Amino acid sequence: MKNTIKREQNANMFEVLPGVSILRTAKRYIFLMAFVAVLAFPTMFQSCSVEPEYYSQSVPELFFDTQQKVYQRMGRPFTHWAWCMADGQAHSNFIRLQEFTTDEMLVPSRYNDWYDGGAYLRSYNHDFTPTTPGVYDAWRAFSMGIAQAWSAKEDIDQYVDFNALGFPEGSREAVLMQLQTLSAFFYWFGLDMFGGLPLYTSNKGENLPRSTDVETFEFIEQLLIEALPKLPKKTTLGAQETGAINQAAAALLLARLYFNAGSYIRQDRYAECAAICQDIIDGKYGSYKLEDEWTNIFGFDNDRSTEIIWSVPSQYAISERSVGPHSNHYGMGEYWDNGTIGSRNNGYCLVPSLDVEGKSYLQGSENPSSKGTHRLGSPFAKFHDQDIRKQLRAYEGDGKWRGMFYFGKMVNPVTKKVCHGGNREFTPTDTLVIVDQIARLIPKPGSEGDHHKEGARWGEENSGVRLAKFSPIPWVSELSRRGNPDIPVFRLAEAYYMLAECKLRAGDEAGAATLINTVRERYFTADDPNPVTASNLDEWRMLDEWMIEFIGEGRRRTDLVRWNKYTTESWWDHPADGPGKVHLNRFPVPEQAIASNQLIEQNPNY
């Protein structure tokens, strides 16, 4: 049944009708871009004349003759959104800069693998310039999304007669306000990463300069306030998520905006954030509930998770976004008992918890590193050993799976299949052992001088614990489940954690602890051995809880900036950026953007 539903869903939301161009003209899209266009195959219409006439496109006045075509036009910017949020998962345009520049994850160099001219190392070390790889991708992601959302909204608003096509009452407002909210999401994305932006509500007209941070903030705020009451509301708990935007998604985005107002516009808007989060939890904006079983959030049927508010749909052989991430080791096909699924490029991993001697970088450890300890970083060590997520990821059959990491001796605990080496530091006959270290630990002929060096430049084939939070891999005997997990973008737990932090900042540590523990309790088979309490909850524990719950979900940089830790604190081999480096809280405007619109000014100190 699920496969049938998802086929219908993707036809509505994430396909563009082949053979038809639904853009009026090649428009000069704002900010920086070349044209956003849907390329058409020639379509032939034959009249009664002897010679046929050929047409390459359909004008909008004639195109919108069915409900399906309205959804196809609406779906184009959502396809772009899916690419931004889920393409390559942690390598997506948004997630990469949010994670790989922080104390959570990185892409180490593994001898010559993943060095890529030092691109990943420069990002991890906050060595940002207008030509830094990935920065232009992020600018392109949000700006193209805005252009596409406004273009679709204009076309549908101008050319679609909802009554004539038999749409239910309220459909027009729901469609248009989803596109407006999607534009607000892309604007929020840009504000978070770059600051003030040129503000458009149409693709017509001249290029504009950047507005101020406050003007951009207020613009996003008004878009969401206008859209919120006109969006559909999820009234049935566990009803299928399709990628569409509902009231709760817009409300949570507005809460995010207020939550980070201090770093965006130097205003305290925590009270407004708290009110919205409480309303979301209370069901004002739709029916949601925290999952008791955490794998339901990321599993094969998570499109019906009670916790997910907004997610990128994924479906095997239809619109497959949920595939193995680039962190998987080369030999994982045998471990999974399915060599056909997932990228196996042995790339990113968690920031390590242990030094080259196996001693801890985590402050408060009983076996501290002689090189110093840190409050930030050490993500794997911050998961309690009794946390059910802290075990080897393994598929159990019939859609069930366990564990959130790949670490240690890589023998599948269910099937006993082995991940063998990749003919680098481990040979193809060796069982891979993944370590929570990034260092030259294995002697290698010709590299004796590098032995025992550690740091992002000195990784090996087995360096770094791998996050396996998304996209569980089924056995080959259950291939039809491939790619079925959707990619969560917003979920109810975020409202709990934002409300908790708002309470912490207001002096209600006990209330904040209760909210966090309500989420934490699902991760322990017995009582939580380290619950949050009024006495142990401070800014550091709050940041740890954000990391533990949302690791890999693309928010770590924003959280560190909000707490003024991104440039001022150190972790592992990343020293604090130092005084006068606050400008690094925002990325430089890429040179391509300024070249395309010379009214755009660079961020300070770049």
Side-chain angles (χ1 to χ4, degrees):
M1 181 65 178
K2 178 182 174 182
N3 288 354
T4 301
I5 292 171
K6 282 213 171 181
R7 277 194 290 272
E8 294 169 354
Q9 149 199 329
N10 281 285
N12 285 339
M13 294 297 297
F14 291 96
E15 292 182 2
V16 178
L17 186 67
V20 180
S21 172
I22 51 181
L23 298 181
R24 291 187 295 274
T25 58
K27 300 175 182 177
R28 182 192 62 192
Y29 282 138
I30 53 177
F31 296 101
L32 63 139
M33 291 299 161
F35 306 120
V36 174
V38 179
L39 300 179
F41 296 101
T43 301
M44 182 179 72
F45 297 85
Q46 186 168 358
S47 69
C48 295
S49 63
V50 176
E51 296 296 327
E53 292 181 282
Y54 297 92
Y55 297 84
S56 63
Q57 66 179 17
S58 172
V59 295
E61 293 88 337
L62 300 178
F63 175 76
F64 292 110
D65 56 1
T66 67
Q67 292 186 13
Q68 180 76 0
K69 290 181 181 178
V70 177
Y71 286 124
Q72 287 165 350
R73 183 68 185 101
M74 176 188 177
R76 180 62 187 95
F78 280 89
T79 303
H80 177 78
W81 161 76
W83 170 74
C84 292
M85 301 306 299
D87 190 61
Q89 293 184 343
H91 265 64
S92 73
N93 293 286
F94 181 47
I95 307 300
R96 173 177 168 180
L97 291 178
Q98 285 288 84
E99 297 286 354
F100 297 167
T101 65
T102 74
D103 65 327
E104 216 166 73
M105 294 196 294
L106 80 160
V107 183
S109 299
R110 305 176 186 277
Y111 284 90
N112 291 327
D113 288 349
W114 290 100
Y115 180 67
D116 292 8
Y120 292 104
L121 300 181
R122 289 197 298 274
S123 291
Y124 178 70
N125 291 322
H126 296 181
D127 182 17
F128 306 126
T129 72
T131 60
T132 296
V135 173
Y136 172 62
D137 292 332
W139 183 282
R140 183 167 62 103
F142 87 80
S143 58
M144 185 184 289
I146 291 167
Q148 290 188 0
W150 287 141
S151 176
K153 185 172 184 285
E154 284 180 325
D155 283 347
I156 293 171
D157 189 28
Q158 182 174 356
Y159 295 109
V160 175
D161 186 333
F162 281 82
N163 292 329
L165 293 178
F167 279 95
E169 184 177 354
S171 296
R172 181 179 184 277
E173 291 76 14
V175 167
L176 296 179
M177 289 302 102
Q178 284 189 65
L179 291 167
Q180 179 165 310
T181 304
L182 185 61
S183 183
F185 175 80
F186 284 121
Y187 266 116
W188 167 79
F189 185 154
L191 173 65
D192 186 85
M193 289 194 163
F194 298 100
L197 305 168
L199 303 178
Y200 299 87
T201 57
S202 170
N203 292 319
K204 302 174 183 177
E206 300 298 321
N207 286 336
L208 296 176
R210 298 175 70 180
S211 296
T212 66
D213 299 344
V214 172
E215 290 168 341
T216 304
F217 182 100
E218 291 176 347
F219 179 76
I220 300 168
E221 179 184 31
Q222 289 308 308
L223 291 179
L224 293 171
I225 289 173
E226 178 187 1
L228 186 54
K230 300 175 184 177
L231 291 167
K233 182 186 295 187
K234 186 173 185 175
T235 57
T236 302
L237 186 66
Q240 186 189 39
E241 288 296 323
T242 65
I245 296 174
N246 51 36
Q247 284 192 9
L252 197 142
L253 179 56
L254 184 59
R256 272 192 186 184
L257 186 71
Y258 292 144
F259 190 51
N260 293 287
S263 50
Y264 296 159
I265 58 172
R266 296 181 177 81
Q267 292 182 18
D268 183 337
R269 306 291 288 272
Y270 290 112
E272 291 157 282
C273 172
I276 295 173
C277 289
Q278 188 65 65
D279 285 342
I280 293 172
I281 293 169
D282 292 342
K284 178 178 177 180
Y285 299 111
S287 298
Y288 303 90
K289 178 181 176 294
L290 291 173
E291 291 280 6
D292 295 328
E293 168 54 57
W294 74 274
T295 58
N296 290 342
I297 305 169
F298 305 100
F300 298 98
D301 298 309
N302 68 341
D303 56 343
R304 296 189 182 277
S305 168
T306 62
E307 183 167 327
I308 290 180
I309 292 174
W310 194 24
S311 59
V312 177
S314 182
Q315 179 70 20
Y316 176 45
I318 298 175
S319 178
E320 188 178 1
R321 298 287 179 178
S322 183
V323 294
H326 291 288
S327 63
N328 291 324
H329 185 268
Y330 319 109
M332 287 300 292
E334 183 180 355
Y335 177 97
W336 294 326
D337 193 21
N338 194 330
T340 66
I341 296 180
S343 301
R344 299 188 297 279
N345 298 322
N346 203 35
Y348 68 88
C349 62
L350 302 188
V351 168
S353 308
L354 304 176
D355 69 10
V356 69
E357 304 294 340
K359 296 185 177 182
S360 177
Y361 281 113
L362 182 61
Q363 191 168 116
S365 169
E366 295 178 357
N367 186 27
S369 171
S370 61
K371 299 180 179 182
T373 58
H374 309 273
R375 298 299 298 264
L376 297 180
S378 301
F380 188 64
K382 286 176 177 173
F383 283 80
H384 196 279
D385 288 344
Q386 295 178 33
D387 190 322
I388 59 175
R389 293 169 293 181
K390 197 173 184 178
Q391 56 181 312
L392 269 172
R393 158 73 72 80
Y395 187 63
E396 299 174 331
D398 196 27
K400 303 296 183 183
W401 52 282
R402 67 172 77 165
M404 205 169 80
F405 302 99
Y406 295 129
F407 65 99
K409 191 173 183 179
M410 290 297 292
V411 178
N412 190 307
V414 175
T415 66
K416 308 307 177 185
K417 296 294 183 70
V418 174
C419 176
H420 288 111
N423 204 25
R424 287 161 170 84
E425 290 71 58
F426 284 77
T427 72
T429 59
D430 294 334
T431 299
L432 185 73
V433 179
I434 294 178
V435 296
D436 193 12
Q437 298 157 284
I438 299 180
R440 296 286 170 85
L441 300 173
I442 303 171
K444 188 172 184 177
S447 299
E448 290 83 359
D450 296 335
H451 191 55
H452 265 223
K453 288 184 178 179
E454 70 172 311
R457 182 67 181 90
W458 307 107
E460 294 180 317
E461 175 182 347
N462 65 328
S463 294
V465 173
R466 315 303 165 84
L467 181 68
K469 188 173 190 176
F470 310 100
S471 308
I473 306 297
W475 299 325
V476 71
S477 60
E478 298 187 26
L479 184 64
S480 62
R481 297 184 187 275
R482 168 181 171 166
N484 284 358
D486 295 351
I487 307 298
V489 176
F490 290 165
R491 53 191 180 95
L492 182 61
E494 184 175 347
Y496 276 78
Y497 275 53
M498 284 196 289
L499 181 57
E501 185 173 316
C502 290
K503 287 181 177 292
L504 170 63
R505 290 176 180 272
D508 182 8
E509 290 86 355
T514 297
L515 287 162
I516 297 171
N517 289 332
T518 301
V519 178
R520 281 179 59 93
E521 64 185 14
R522 64 189 175 195
Y523 302 117
F524 302 93
T525 56
D527 290 341
D528 185 344
N530 184 28
V532 180
T533 66
S535 60
N536 69 22
L537 183 58
D538 58 11
E539 59 184 333
W540 301 105
R541 179 69 189 259
M542 190 74 237
L543 276 169
D544 286 350
E545 294 302 325
W546 277 115
M547 171 187 278
I548 292 167
E549 179 62 28
F550 292 96
I551 189 168
E553 295 186 50
R555 61 171 304 121
R556 186 58 175 176
R557 173 191 150 274
T558 300
D559 291 334
L560 292 176
V561 170
R562 187 178 62 258
W563 280 105
N564 192 31
K565 309 298 185 191
Y566 185 65
T567 64
T568 62
E569 293 293 326
S570 61
W571 56 85
W572 182 46
D573 73 334
H574 179 94
D577 295 306
K581 298 292 186 177
V582 68
H583 68 282
L584 297 174
N585 285 332
R586 289 178 176 171
F587 296 110
V589 178
E591 64 178 8
Q592 296 96 323
I594 296 174
S596 298
N597 177 3
Q598 296 186 8
L599 297 176
I600 295 178
E601 295 183 358
Q602 183 58 265
N603 279 329
N605 298 314
Y606 283 113

